[in-house]
Amino acid sequence: SLQGYESFMMKEIRESWGAVRDTLTGLLKENELLNKTIKAIERAKRVIIVAAGTSYNAGLLFTIRLQRAGFNAISVIASEHNNLRTNQDDTVLVISQSGETMDSLIALKKYKNNGSFIISLTNTLGNSISSYSDIALHTRAGPEIGVAATKTFTSQVGALMLLSSLLLNESVDYLKEAESVIANSFSKVIGYTKIIGSELSKKPSLYYLGKGLGVPLAMEGALKIKEIAYVHAEAYPAGESKHGPIALVENGFPVIFLNNGEFTDELYNNVMEMESRHAKTYVISAGSKISTNNNQNEIVLDVPDPRLSPLALAPPIQLIAYYAAKERGANPDRPRNLAKTVTVR
Ligand code: M6R
């Protein structure tokens, strides 16, 4: 039930930090399963990460972390599984909140038939995807009623941060602060995102730009606002925006920058580029600030460890979409044309 909340989406965003905490403690208890997972990824010649929609965006963070560490990791959009032929030397990670997404299930079966080792990360027990997997891992976000994935996304990100740190032989102590980082981000951005959401609800189109781990977050921000507020949005790597997309930018065109704290100088240049075209820029920074002046459109989230930045950036992108939907009178829980679980090809 709604338990006093005006929508499931808001309730579920508010549940996201508890969901991440439960996901991390749950996974850390499954020592044997985690060790098997690490071994299966380490021995693989290639690591293929397969998912759709929001789960794909979460997976991309994992792919980038592994690529940076020298792993041969590739992200594949589930419905485009035909573009890749896997074999018995590959380990495939299928990520799906529901565990029932037809595109992801078809990709899984095909790669399994090729002899690849299959790991899944789903949010429900006894789903089809986990039943076909060699190792079934779970997030512990609890049921998600809103069609827009929110707490399940944040939980996937938490789980994948844990896995990537284990693979990179990093201490996972920093993840103890995941819960408070997400909760603090939520409280810090709630007023700001209401203003942005309402401004964006009046615009036909916008860009979400980021760099590095900010790119999958930008993709997720753009997906969310399209999905529930019906505002056209595109995500780009910030540097790539000057190779075409910038042509659309004119007076007042909204551009949201997601700064995960890694490439502040480059992002600063991209912000300036957009501002010189009179774009309306918004900057959401995790950790370190971009602007040198007192840019009133930059909000800086506290992150005690840079690896927590993607988690800190989850509440603002979800809340912006939520408030844009509200402002437009759209029901964020039940967007048109969309099902919670897409069981058709
Ligand atoms: O259940 P899954 O994670 O496999 O679902 C994949 C997508 O259909 C899903 O993430 C979709 O993009 C969401 N509605 C986005 O909010």
Side-chain angles (χ1 to χ4, degrees):
S1 81
L2 275 169
Q3 294 161 357
Y5 290 101
E6 48 181 323
S7 67
F8 282 106
M9 185 176 176
M10 182 51 99
K11 174 175 179 279
E12 288 159 0
I13 296 173
R14 285 180 176 272
E15 286 168 351
S16 64
W17 47 95
V20 170
R21 177 202 57 221
D22 294 348
T23 294
L24 293 170
T25 39
L27 281 171
L28 283 166
K29 275 189 201 140
E30 298 184 314
N31 226 317
E32 209 177 310
L33 219 49
L34 279 183
N35 284 337
K36 274 203 211 160
T37 302
I38 301 307
K39 288 207 182 90
I41 293 178
E42 279 174 345
R43 69 164 180 262
K45 290 215 175 111
R46 291 188 304 180
V47 191
I48 321 287
I49 294 93
V50 186
T54 290
S55 297
Y56 177 84
N57 295 336
L60 204 48
L61 289 167
F62 185 64
T63 302
I64 295 172
R65 289 260 288 156
L66 292 197
Q67 285 174 342
R68 286 181 179 182
F71 283 84
N72 191 358
I74 313 163
S75 264
V76 176
I77 290 181
S79 60
E80 290 293 318
H81 63 269
N82 285 309
N83 295 349
L84 191 81
R85 196 197 315 185
T86 68
N87 58 43
Q88 63 280 5
D89 297 326
D90 296 323
T91 289
V92 175
L93 171 64
V94 184
I95 306 169
S96 170
Q97 177 278 128
S98 62
E100 300 296 345
T101 297
M102 188 52 74
D103 287 329
S104 307
L105 186 57
I106 289 173
L108 181 161
K109 287 183 182 168
K110 180 183 166 193
Y111 294 162
K112 195 178 167 74
N113 275 337
N114 295 344
S116 307
F117 189 87
I118 312 286
I119 305 170
S120 62
L121 179 65
T122 62
N123 191 52
T124 59
L125 291 173
N127 59 70
S128 306
I129 286 177
S130 60
S131 73
Y132 283 101
S133 309
D134 297 298
I135 298 178
L137 300 174
H138 295 94
T139 48
R140 283 150 177 93
E144 189 176 66
I145 310 296
V147 166
T150 54
K151 63 174 177 173
T152 57
F153 169 73
T154 319
S155 301
Q156 289 167 341
V157 174
L160 294 168
M161 285 295 141
L162 170 65
L163 274 189
S164 57
S165 284
L166 293 173
L167 281 160
L168 274 49
N169 286 317
E170 298 171 357
S171 152
V172 298
D173 279 356
Y174 71 96
L175 286 168
K176 289 190 184 122
E177 304 202 64
E179 183 181 4
S180 62
V181 161
I182 303 162
N184 292 341
S185 163
F186 178 92
S187 326
K188 187 150 191 181
V189 301
I190 188 133
Y192 182 73
T193 51
K194 194 166 184 177
I195 298 168
I196 307 182
S198 126
E199 289 179 9
L200 297 178
S201 70
K202 295 166 189 80
K203 303 278 186 173
S205 184
L206 64 100
Y207 287 149
Y208 251 110
L209 304 181
K211 191 169 171 65
L213 296 176
V215 174
L217 270 305
M219 290 167 62
E220 179 56 12
L223 171 59
K224 268 313 71 113
I225 197 165
K226 276 187 288 223
E227 183 182 22
I228 60 164
Y230 317 130
V231 175
H232 175 254
E234 272 188 274
Y236 272 98
E240 182 69 2
S241 67
K242 58 184 179 290
H243 300 282
I246 200 164
L248 272 190
V249 176
E250 53 182 1
N251 197 14
F253 188 93
V255 184
I256 308 172
F257 284 88
L258 297 180
N259 158 30
N260 82 316
E262 275 183 305
F263 303 103
T264 46
D265 292 350
E266 284 106 318
L267 285 170
Y268 176 77
N269 292 337
N270 296 136
V271 175
M272 290 302 123
E273 235 162 52
M274 289 297 169
E275 286 193 345
S276 70
R277 269 81 181 180
H278 309 290
K280 169 90 183 165
T281 60
Y282 305 90
V283 183
I284 306 174
S285 292
S288 29
K289 223 166 169 280
I290 287 187
S291 63
T292 46
N293 54 22
N294 208 6
N295 185 348
Q296 56 170 13
N297 283 320
E298 177 167 13
I299 192 159
V300 187
L301 309 170
D302 300 320
V303 282
D305 185 295
R307 289 167 294 187
L308 295 168
S309 296
L311 290 171
L313 291 171
I317 59 174
Q318 295 168 355
L319 287 168
I320 287 172
Y322 175 82
Y323 284 121
K326 280 281 180 194
E327 189 71 23
R328 299 190 68 158
N331 177 354
D333 293 339
R334 305 208 55 187
R336 65 186 181 212
N337 306 339
L338 273 170
K340 177 69 178 161
T341 308
V342 183
T343 51
V344 291
R345 293 175 86 157

